[in-house]
Amino acid sequence: MQDLNPKQLQRYLKDNSPLLLDVREQWEWDKCHFDEARLLPMGQIMANIDSLDKTEEIVLICHHGIRSMQVAHYFESIGFTNLVNLKGGIDAWTKTIDSSMALY
């Protein structure tokens, strides 16, 4: 797994098109999210695990990077092979890259 800060991820996304998987709750998503992202709250992952491709590149996103890191570790333990965690989460992205996103 890679752990990229917002600036590193921004550069990375210029040349790559991974699945952006947001593991926050719906109410958090409603406040702000990446337009291209898919919402799959952490608590629903096990019930929806078959909807994900273990070989697809996935960038995991949460509020501060902690839940997404936990999901990344779980994914690695069940055979996912191409994972990126947004270090600092969407909060760091908003503070560093896109101030138009709502902070909460």
Side-chain angles (χ1 to χ4, degrees):
M1 174 194 46
Q2 295 182 70
D3 198 28
L4 300 180
N5 68 40
K7 288 183 180 183
Q8 291 168 319
L9 182 60
Q10 181 184 43
R11 286 190 299 271
Y12 186 76
L13 292 175
K14 288 181 182 181
D15 298 322
N16 299 279
S17 299
L19 168 63
L20 302 177
L21 189 64
D22 194 321
V23 300
R24 297 175 301 147
E25 297 298 319
Q26 182 71 53
W27 69 269
E28 294 175 288
W29 170 272
D30 292 343
K31 291 190 177 288
C32 66
H33 62 270
F34 291 97
D35 291 335
E36 315 82 31
R38 173 182 168 190
L39 176 64
L40 182 56
M42 187 175 181
Q44 297 175 21
I45 286 175
M46 291 184 74
N48 293 281
I49 199 71
D50 292 336
S51 70
L52 300 171
D53 179 350
K54 289 183 177 184
T55 62
E56 181 178 16
E57 182 174 30
I58 301 174
V59 173
L60 294 156
I61 302 161
C62 71
H63 191 199
H64 289 114
I66 297 166
R67 283 176 283 176
S68 55
M69 178 70 76
Q70 292 172 331
V71 171
H73 288 305
Y74 170 67
F75 280 0
E76 285 181 326
S77 77
I78 61 169
F80 282 75
T81 58
N82 202 359
L83 302 169
V84 175
N85 181 56
L86 173 55
K87 186 176 183 178
I90 205 159
D91 184 74
W93 180 273
T94 301
K95 292 174 180 173
T96 308
I97 306 296
D98 186 356
S99 62
S100 71
M101 294 177 119
L103 286 170
Y104 66 99

